[in-house]
């Protein structure tokens, strides 16, 4: 069968499928809620995008089609598919523009572009190579390199996006030299991004988390608590976050792997030092080399990246500080005026900050610092420095395209009612002790289907807290466990989803093929997710304290990895490379 015939069959099948879809939707009552009107069809946009991503390995095309299918469903008025297709295309264009115009989204894309420019400048100044060489002297085996990447991920705790784009490019040459696969690097980076930011008391996540928690408890009449206080109490029950971070250490120490990751690691071990690493759809910075003849210095990396990190923390505080003083909440204003630098003052300011603006400000400042250093050290002229900075942004452009389509798909999924449909189907009457596990699974499914942890938390938290409170007759401890299930389930599903923004950024930051990253990480996430349910949330629902579940879960991960995994011995590679 030639290509023209294949294309014709695909076009014919698509037209028939759209006609059947139009016929089905047009027969439903137009005035009904979309989750009721579309029913099981609400799952089509995310399922089509996810399935095509795995089948075709074309992330952009898959997301595009997913968005189009969702807009097509929303545009159906009758069985005239020609007018529906035209309206769906026009609405899709508007949706993408609206996502780009959203201040939060615009800030995220801009800070990603700026970080790309910083990384390129740091690379041209030799800072990245100097830092990688310094790390390689200490992380001289695959085991140490993975642990070092894990530790670096913990250090960039304040934001998962920044984590993915900082840690990945720094550690990639070290991992490549030691024959550790890009897939394993992407997993370590991804698994130390959202899981760390989600439980850090200073991060871009905490404002959303505590606001949702406070609103949820207020809805059941509990007003004598603070969202931050409940947030702190959920940390020991954030089983998936804790277990996935410890699993990285267990896997690195034992060198045991399973599933597609084992194959990726075996292929990396067999790779010759001068063999080119084939990376599809994963543009990176590996083709950028330092300027010839310059003296390598780690400070050419430490100062710009340090400026980014410290600047971000200061920008978070200042953003929240000015927001509070410009607002009308007299209690918060009093805190800022009386003790602005106390723990409570700093926490209050951070919880009110606009993370996307703060990160953009920090990235712009770090960009200026990097340009000034490159020119001041006579490594680059001002024209060349700006050119390299812009060149680094171009490397991240594809990330921006994917993020825009992922956000557009999330918006369309919200309009067709996917999350509401899943909640309605899965939240039937169940035994009380299953509720935390059900909430975790429900959060995972919504996050997997929508590709957003934030959106999942926003959708599920107002439902989960009242449900847990009612079933437990107002048991605070039980409700706290259920609350943690929302927060961790969202991250678990996000880790498994190919349309997740953090998963996409981890792929780009490590120059790993995106679908390869998803398929290798998914096995590990599901393994840890199963332990989270059976050793974490089910016992917690029965009242078992976390200090029993956590050590048992760690032992279970170690034993399970030993039973289903196989050691990929890199010791010889590490010795010859060091």
């Amino acid at each position: 069968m030639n290509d023209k015939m294949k294309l014709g069959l695909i076009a014919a099948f698509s037209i028939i499928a759209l006609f059947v879809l139009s016929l089905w939707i047009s027969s439903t009552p137009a005035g009904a809620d979309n989750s009721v009107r579309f029913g099981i069809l609400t799952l089509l946009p995310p399922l089509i995008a996810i399935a095509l991503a795995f089948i075709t390995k074309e992330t952009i095309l898959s997301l595009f089609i997913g968005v189009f299918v969702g807009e097509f469903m929303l545009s159906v008025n009758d069985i005239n598919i020609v007018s529906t297709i035209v309206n769906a295309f026009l609405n899709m264009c508007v949706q993408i523009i609206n996502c780009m115009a959203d201040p939060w989204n615009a800030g995220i894309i801009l800070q990603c572009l700026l970080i790309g420019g910083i990384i390129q400048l740091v690379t041209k100044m030799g800072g990245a190579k100097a830092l990688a060489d310094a790390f390689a002297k200490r992380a001289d085996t695959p085991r140490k390199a993975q642990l070092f990447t894990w530790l670096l991920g913990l250090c960039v705790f304040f934001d998962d996006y920044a984590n993915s784009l900082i840690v990945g490019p720094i550690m990639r040459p070290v991992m490549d030299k030691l024959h550790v696969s890009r897939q394993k690097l992407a997993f370590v980076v991804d698994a130390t991004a959202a899981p760390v930011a989600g439980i850090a008391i200073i991060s871009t996540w905490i404002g959303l988390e505590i606001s949702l928690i406070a609103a949820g408890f207020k809805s059941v009449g509990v007003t004598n608590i603070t969202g931050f206080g409940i947030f702190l109490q959920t940390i020991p029950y954030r089983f998936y976050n804790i277990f996935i971070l410890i699993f990285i250490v267990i896997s690195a120490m034992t060198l045991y792997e399973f599933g597609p990751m084992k194959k990726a690691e075996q292929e990396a071990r067999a790779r010759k030092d001068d063999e080119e690493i084939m990376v599809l759809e994963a543009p990176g910075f590996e083709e950028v080399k330092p300027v010839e003849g310059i003296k390598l210095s780690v400070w050419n990396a430490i100062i710009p990246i340090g400026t980014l990190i410290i600047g971000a923390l200061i920008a978070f505080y200042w953003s929240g500080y000015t927001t509070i003083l410009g607002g009308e909440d007299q209690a918060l204003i009093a805190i800022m005026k009386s003790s602005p630098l106390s723990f409570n003052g700093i926490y209050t300011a951070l919880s009110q900050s606009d993370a996307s603006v703060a990160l953009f400000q920090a990235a712009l400042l770090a960009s200026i610092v990097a340009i000034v250093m490159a020119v001041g050290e006579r490594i680059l002229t001002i024209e060349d420095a700006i050119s390299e900075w812009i060149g680094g942004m171009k490397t991240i452009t594809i990330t921006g395209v994917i993020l825009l389509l992922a956000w557009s798909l999330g918006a369309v999924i919200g309009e067709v009612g996917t999350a509401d449909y899943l909640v309605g189907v899965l939240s039937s009457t169940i035994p009380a002790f299953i509720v935390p596990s059900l909430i975790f699974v429900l959060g995972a499914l919504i996050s997997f289907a929508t590709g957003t942890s934030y959106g999942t938390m926003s959708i599920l938290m107002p439902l989960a807290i009242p449900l847990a409170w009612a079933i437990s007759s107002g048991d605070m401890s039980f409700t706290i466990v259920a609350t943690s299930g929302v927060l961790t389930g969202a991250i678990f599903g996000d880790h498994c989803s190919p349309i997740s923004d953090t998963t996409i950024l981890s792929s780009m930051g490590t120059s790993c093929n995106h679908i390869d990253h998803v398929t290798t990480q998914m096995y590990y996430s599901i393994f840890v997710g199963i332990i989270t349910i059976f050793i974490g949330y089910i016992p917690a629902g029965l009242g078992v304290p976390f200090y029993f579940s956590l050590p048992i879960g760690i032992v279970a991960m170690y034993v399970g990895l030993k039973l289903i995994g196989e050691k990929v011995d890199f010791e010889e590679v590490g010795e010859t490379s060091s």
Side-chain angles (χ1 to χ4, degrees):
M1 186 182 297
N2 58 40
D3 291 340
K4 289 184 179 180
M5 188 174 293
K6 287 181 181 179
L7 187 61
L9 286 174
I10 292 172
F13 177 79
S14 300
I15 292 172
I16 294 171
L18 291 176
F19 179 79
V20 172
L21 187 61
S22 298
L23 191 62
W24 187 339
I25 295 175
S26 60
S27 65
T28 60
D33 179 79
N34 281 339
S35 63
V36 176
R37 181 189 179 199
F38 296 135
I40 196 171
L41 291 179
T42 61
L43 301 176
L44 270 182
L47 286 181
I48 287 174
I50 291 166
L52 286 177
F54 282 113
I55 293 170
T56 66
K57 298 188 182 297
E58 294 284 346
T59 305
I60 292 178
L61 176 63
S62 303
L63 289 170
F64 182 89
I65 293 175
V67 176
F68 177 79
V69 169
E71 291 292 357
F72 182 89
M73 291 171 59
L74 293 168
S75 301
V76 169
N77 292 315
D78 48 43
I79 59 173
N80 185 347
I81 66 169
V82 175
S83 64
T84 304
I85 288 173
V86 172
N87 289 330
F89 177 78
L90 295 176
N91 291 337
M92 181 176 66
C93 294
V94 173
Q95 184 70 259
I96 294 172
I97 291 173
N98 288 339
C99 286
M100 183 65 193
D102 181 87
W104 172 272
N105 294 345
I108 294 301
I109 289 179
L110 286 173
Q111 64 107 345
C112 288
L113 291 173
L114 291 178
I115 291 176
I118 294 166
I119 293 170
Q120 179 127 331
L121 279 172
V122 165
T123 303
K124 293 299 290 186
M125 290 191 294
K129 179 172 174 51
L131 200 59
D133 290 344
F135 287 163
K137 291 178 182 178
R138 294 167 177 80
D140 54 357
T141 67
R143 182 180 284 115
K144 291 180 182 179
Q146 292 179 56
L147 292 174
F148 211 99
T149 305
W150 174 81
L151 183 61
L152 193 59
L154 296 183
C155 291
V156 190
F157 57 86
F158 59 88
D159 182 70
D160 51 334
Y161 293 158
N163 185 305
S164 298
L165 293 175
I166 291 173
V167 179
I170 288 176
M171 294 306 299
R172 186 174 56 233
V174 178
M175 293 290 207
D176 287 349
K177 180 181 179 182
L178 295 171
H179 295 214
V180 178
S181 67
R182 295 278 177 87
Q183 291 91 327
K184 189 61 182 292
L185 172 60
F187 164 68
V188 177
V189 168
D190 203 352
T192 54
V196 174
I199 58 177
I201 62 173
I202 298 176
S203 76
T204 56
W205 287 55
I206 192 169
L208 174 69
E209 290 176 318
I210 62 174
S211 63
L212 292 174
I213 291 170
F217 277 94
K218 185 178 180 180
S219 69
V220 296
V222 180
T223 57
N224 60 340
I225 52 92
T226 64
F228 184 66
I230 298 297
F231 168 84
L232 292 177
Q233 293 180 65
T234 66
I235 291 177
Y237 295 99
R238 306 281 280 276
F239 293 114
Y240 180 78
N241 299 51
I242 297 169
F243 284 154
I244 196 73
L245 290 171
I246 295 174
F247 177 78
I248 296 171
V249 177
I250 295 173
S251 174
M253 293 298 294
T254 61
L255 296 178
Y256 268 67
E257 314 288 351
F258 64 88
M261 189 72 79
K262 181 179 73 174
K263 181 180 178 182
E265 288 290 81
Q266 289 171 337
E267 291 176 350
R269 181 184 64 178
R271 188 182 69 243
K272 297 179 180 179
D273 288 330
D274 58 349
E275 185 177 345
E276 182 179 357
I277 300 174
M278 296 301 294
V279 183
L280 302 175
E281 286 186 5
F285 301 91
E286 60 264 20
E287 70 277 4
V288 181
K289 304 296 182 184
V291 175
E292 291 186 8
I294 64 171
K295 182 180 179 181
L296 300 181
S297 172
V298 295
W299 294 107
N300 286 344
I302 292 175
I303 292 176
I305 295 174
T307 300
L308 174 64
I309 295 173
I310 297 173
L313 294 175
I314 295 173
F316 289 153
Y317 176 83
W318 182 251
S319 172
Y321 178 82
T322 53
T323 299
I324 290 171
L325 292 184
E328 299 179 355
D329 192 322
Q330 295 302 317
L332 295 182
I333 292 173
I335 293 173
M336 287 296 99
K337 288 184 175 180
S338 62
S339 53
L341 297 179
S342 66
F343 175 81
N344 189 35
I346 293 172
Y347 148 71
T348 302
L350 292 175
S351 67
Q352 298 293 317
S353 66
D354 186 331
S356 64
V357 174
L359 282 169
F360 171 71
Q361 292 168 338
L364 183 58
L365 175 62
S367 297
I368 294 171
V369 169
I371 291 172
V372 170
M373 288 181 66
V375 175
E377 295 178 21
R378 297 184 179 180
I379 297 174
L380 297 168
T381 64
I382 183 67
E383 294 83 0
D384 290 339
I386 294 175
S387 177
E388 293 293 343
W389 181 59
I390 294 173
M393 293 188 202
K394 292 178 182 177
T395 307
I396 303 294
T397 301
I398 189 172
T399 304
V401 173
I402 293 174
L403 285 175
L404 272 177
L405 288 173
W407 289 328
S408 300
L409 180 60
V412 169
I413 287 169
E415 291 184 43
V416 300
T418 304
D420 293 337
Y421 173 77
L422 286 173
V423 170
V425 169
L426 297 175
S427 60
S428 56
T429 303
I430 53 170
F433 76 92
I434 294 293
V435 168
S437 300
L438 175 68
I439 289 172
F440 174 80
V441 172
L442 188 57
L445 289 174
I446 294 173
S447 183
F448 180 82
T450 60
T452 168
S453 298
Y454 282 15
T456 300
M457 293 174 187
S458 301
I459 291 165
L460 198 53
M461 193 69 79
L463 303 172
I465 291 178
L467 174 65
W469 186 261
I471 287 179
S472 66
S473 300
D475 186 332
M476 179 63 78
S477 298
F478 183 87
T479 308
I480 287 171
V481 173
T483 301
S484 74
V486 176
L487 303 173
T488 52
I491 291 174
F492 168 58
D494 190 78
H495 270 181
C496 296
S497 177
I499 61 174
S500 158
D501 46 7
T502 49
T503 307
I504 291 165
L505 287 174
S506 295
S507 301
M508 298 302 170
T510 57
S511 290
C512 176
N513 173 268
H514 179 56
I515 301 304
D516 286 348
H517 168 45
V518 173
T519 53
T520 50
Q521 175 164 276
M522 184 180 293
Y523 280 73
Y524 285 6
S525 295
I526 291 174
F527 172 74
V528 176
I530 290 171
I531 290 174
T532 295
I533 293 171
F534 288 99
I535 298 180
Y537 285 117
I538 290 179
L542 293 168
V544 177
F546 68 87
Y547 47 79
F548 286 123
S549 298
L550 288 176
I552 293 173
I554 293 169
V555 172
M557 285 192 296
Y558 177 81
V559 173
L561 184 59
K562 284 282 189 176
L563 289 176
I564 66 176
E566 179 182 343
K567 187 173 184 179
V568 183
D569 195 348
F570 283 101
E571 292 302 321
E572 293 182 3
V573 175
E575 291 171 3
T576 57
S577 299
S578 60

